């Protein structure tokens, strides 16, 4: 309830108290790490995800989350190392491909890699509108406007509330 109200600091404190009482609550560690990512406290987030990885080094979500913390601090090589580890463990996991696509998209010279991983994420989870949006964005950056439009239309089909967002993307393409 606290996170819905935007009271992230209080939510983090409540989860930390819960962890003090029961340190084996790994789901609390994961949730707390994600809250810290939302708050922008990447060091705290990394600490929580590191604890999850100490318990299970093959935790794909923790690997992707710690990679996100590194990515958001512009530590692209470290982020890629975590994601490559996740990829080796779960090459068919859509979250791994999505995370790799985000990382490569933000490194402009790696847009082809971003498109490849986003295509795989979309193939693995076709009904995810967020994946369709990102795929369209990456395609638009690689001058594949017609395919970008197809991905964005699919995103609207999956989630009609995205229509305005997609229209603004289409306007940007039409201006070029």
């Amino acid at each position: 309830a606290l996170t819905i109200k935007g009271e992230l600091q209080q939510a983090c404190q409540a989860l930390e108290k819960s962890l003090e009482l029961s340190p084996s609550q790994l789901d609390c560690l994961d949730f707390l790490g994600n809250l810290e990512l939302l708050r922008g406290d990447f060091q705290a987030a990394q600490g929580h995800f590191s604890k999850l990885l100490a318990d299970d080094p093959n935790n794909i979500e923790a690997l992707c989350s710690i990679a996100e913390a590194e990515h958001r601090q512009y530590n692209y090589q470290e982020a890629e190392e975590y994601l490559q580890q996740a990829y080796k463990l779960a090459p068919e996991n859509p979250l791994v491909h999505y995370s790799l696509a985000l990382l490569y998209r933000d490194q402009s010279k790696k847009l082809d890699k971003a498109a490849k991983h986003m295509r795989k994420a979309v193939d693995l989870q076709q009904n995810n509108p967020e994946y369709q949006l990102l795929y369209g964005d990456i395609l638009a950056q690689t001058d594949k406007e017609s395919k970008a439009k197809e991905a964005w239309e699919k995103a609207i089909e999956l989630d009609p509330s995205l229509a305005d967002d997609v229209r603004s993307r289409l306007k940007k393409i039409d201006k070029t």
Side-chain angles (χ1 to χ4, degrees):
L2 291 173
T3 58
I4 294 171
K5 294 180 184 177
E7 299 170 1
L8 298 178
Q9 180 66 36
Q10 293 88 333
C12 287
Q13 290 170 348
L15 283 169
E16 286 169 354
K17 281 187 181 183
S18 178
L19 279 170
E20 286 174 19
L21 297 172
S22 181
S24 64
Q25 289 185 307
L26 298 179
D27 54 336
C28 277
L29 269 177
D30 181 57
F31 195 61
L32 187 54
N34 283 301
L35 285 177
E36 296 294 9
L37 280 176
L38 284 173
R39 290 183 55 232
D41 190 343
F42 305 123
Q43 297 298 320
Q46 285 173 293
H48 299 304
F49 297 129
S50 291
K51 289 177 186 173
L52 285 170
L53 290 171
D55 182 69
D56 177 7
N58 298 331
N59 184 325
I60 302 303
E61 288 186 21
L63 286 166
C64 289
S65 295
I66 202 166
E68 180 183 350
E70 292 288 2
H71 178 178
R72 291 180 58 192
Q73 296 174 88
Y74 306 101
N75 298 328
Y76 295 138
Q77 184 165 344
E78 291 87 348
E80 187 172 16
E81 287 171 12
Y82 283 113
L83 292 173
Q84 287 300 329
Q85 185 179 348
Y87 179 76
K88 286 176 187 169
L89 293 167
E92 296 297 312
N93 185 307
L95 176 62
V96 172
H97 289 282
Y98 174 76
S99 299
L100 281 163
L102 285 172
L103 178 66
Y104 293 141
R105 179 208 54 194
D106 290 349
Q107 299 174 63
S108 298
K109 295 178 183 174
K110 296 186 177 183
L111 287 174
D112 287 338
K113 280 184 163 184
K116 176 187 131 196
H117 284 287
M118 205 58 240
R119 173 78 251 166
K120 183 70 173 177
V122 165
D123 287 345
L124 291 168
Q125 202 170 70
Q126 295 177 5
N127 293 328
N128 186 320
E130 184 179 345
Y131 286 12
Q132 294 288 345
L133 271 182
L134 181 60
Y135 187 48
D137 292 346
I138 292 168
L139 289 169
Q141 287 180 287
T142 59
D143 297 324
K144 296 178 179 140
E145 287 89 1
S146 64
K147 289 188 179 212
K149 290 176 182 180
E150 287 175 25
W152 290 333
E153 292 298 327
K154 178 71 173 173
I156 293 173
E157 182 182 311
L158 294 169
D159 183 354
S161 71
L162 296 172
D164 289 340
D165 195 17
V166 168
R167 273 194 280 282
S168 70
R169 284 168 159 85
L170 290 169
K171 284 180 187 176
K172 288 178 187 175
I173 283 182
D174 292 338
K175 287 181 182 179
T176 57

